[in-house]
């Protein structure tokens, strides 16, 4: 059970309802994490910058590469909701997250995502060298900032124990795929 409740739209302040409505307008859905974050529209807006950074990384880093990077961060952070969110994204595009054949770029992003979480003070020099060969500085700045927001998302879900969204459970590790 979640430590914090989700907003009740009907009794929420006009500011919270406006932020809710804008999220629906922009993204077409409202997750349990977002419904919880909306108790603070400022916190919700900050976490939603994930989408802004994702847009900055596009088209240099593809959707699949972002999903693999985000999944690696989520796995390393042991965030069941975040892991499952990216499993669903991969499965939705026909990929098996339990049997992915990673390209060289995907393997690099997977390793970087895990390294960021494992010890952000000791990302291996050889990993940095490969990243610098592949990406310009701006992309790397955006990628590290994106990793930070992704990790913050995983931490929020873990600490609060946000409940699974109804449509997400079927994509969890070990679940029978629909």
């Amino acid at each position: 059970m979640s430590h914090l409740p989700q907003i009740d739209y009907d009794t929420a302040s006009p500011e919270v309802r406006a932020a809710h409505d804008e999220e629906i307008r922009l993204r077409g859905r409202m997750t349990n994490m977002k419904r919880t974050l909306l108790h603070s529209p400022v916190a919700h807006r900050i976490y939603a910058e994930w989408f802004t950074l994702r847009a900055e990384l596009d088209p240099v880093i593809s959707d699949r590469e972002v999903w693999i990077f985000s999944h690696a961060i989520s796995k390393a952070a042991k965030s069941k909701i975040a892991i499952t969110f990216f499993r669903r994204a991969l499965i939705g595009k026909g990929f098996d997250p339990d049997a992915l054949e990673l390209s060289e770029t995907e393997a690099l992003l997977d390793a970087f995502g895990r390294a960021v979480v494992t010890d952000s003070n000791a990302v291996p020099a050889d990993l940095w060298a490969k990243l610098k060969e592949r990406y310009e500085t701006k992309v790397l700045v955006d990628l590290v900032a994106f990793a930070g927001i992704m990790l913050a998302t995983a931490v929020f879900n873990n600490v609060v124990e946000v409940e699974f969204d109804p449509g997400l459970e079927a994509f969890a590790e070990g679940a029978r795929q629909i």
Side-chain angles (χ1 to χ4, degrees):
M1 187 165 158
S2 182
H3 291 289
L4 300 174
Q6 298 173 28
I7 63 153
D8 174 29
Y9 184 87
D10 294 334
T11 61
S13 71
E15 179 188 20
V16 168
R17 279 189 281 189
H20 175 281
D21 295 347
E22 181 64 5
E23 179 67 25
I24 295 292
R25 186 188 72 74
L26 289 172
R27 300 191 229 297
R29 68 176 166 192
M30 181 61 63
T31 66
N32 290 344
M33 183 188 90
K34 292 174 189 175
R35 279 187 197 92
T36 306
L37 277 168
L38 275 169
H39 284 284
S40 169
V42 170
H44 175 265
R45 187 183 73 244
I46 290 166
Y47 276 76
E49 289 301 318
W50 185 97
F51 295 99
T52 305
L53 284 167
R54 172 61 194 115
E56 287 295 303
L57 290 167
D58 188 37
V60 177
I61 298 178
S62 72
D63 284 341
R64 180 178 147 121
E65 291 165 345
V66 164
W67 298 333
I68 288 168
F69 182 58
S70 298
H71 186 259
I73 291 166
S74 303
K75 287 279 280 190
K78 299 176 186 166
S79 179
K80 291 179 183 177
I81 288 179
I83 292 166
T84 307
F85 185 87
F86 293 103
R87 285 177 57 81
R88 180 178 66 185
L90 289 162
I91 292 166
K93 291 297 182 179
F95 304 113
D96 179 353
D98 298 317
L100 287 176
E101 291 184 28
L102 301 181
S103 69
E104 184 179 323
T105 300
E106 292 167 345
L108 176 62
L109 292 169
D110 180 80
F112 186 51
R114 285 183 282 111
V116 166
V117 178
T118 300
D119 187 350
S120 61
N121 289 302
V123 174
D126 64 320
L127 194 51
W128 267 116
K130 290 175 186 172
L131 288 163
K132 290 176 186 177
E133 285 175 16
R134 185 168 301 275
Y135 302 112
E136 295 178 8
T137 300
K138 182 196 181 301
V139 172
L140 291 172
V141 167
D142 289 340
L143 189 63
V144 172
F146 181 88
I149 291 178
M150 188 62 240
L151 182 55
T153 298
V155 168
F156 185 88
N157 281 309
N158 289 353
V159 171
V160 174
E161 296 183 21
V162 172
E163 295 172 12
F164 265 78
D165 293 89
L168 203 55
E169 287 180 346
F171 299 95
E173 291 177 319
R176 226 172 117 230
Q177 299 307 308
I178 56 176

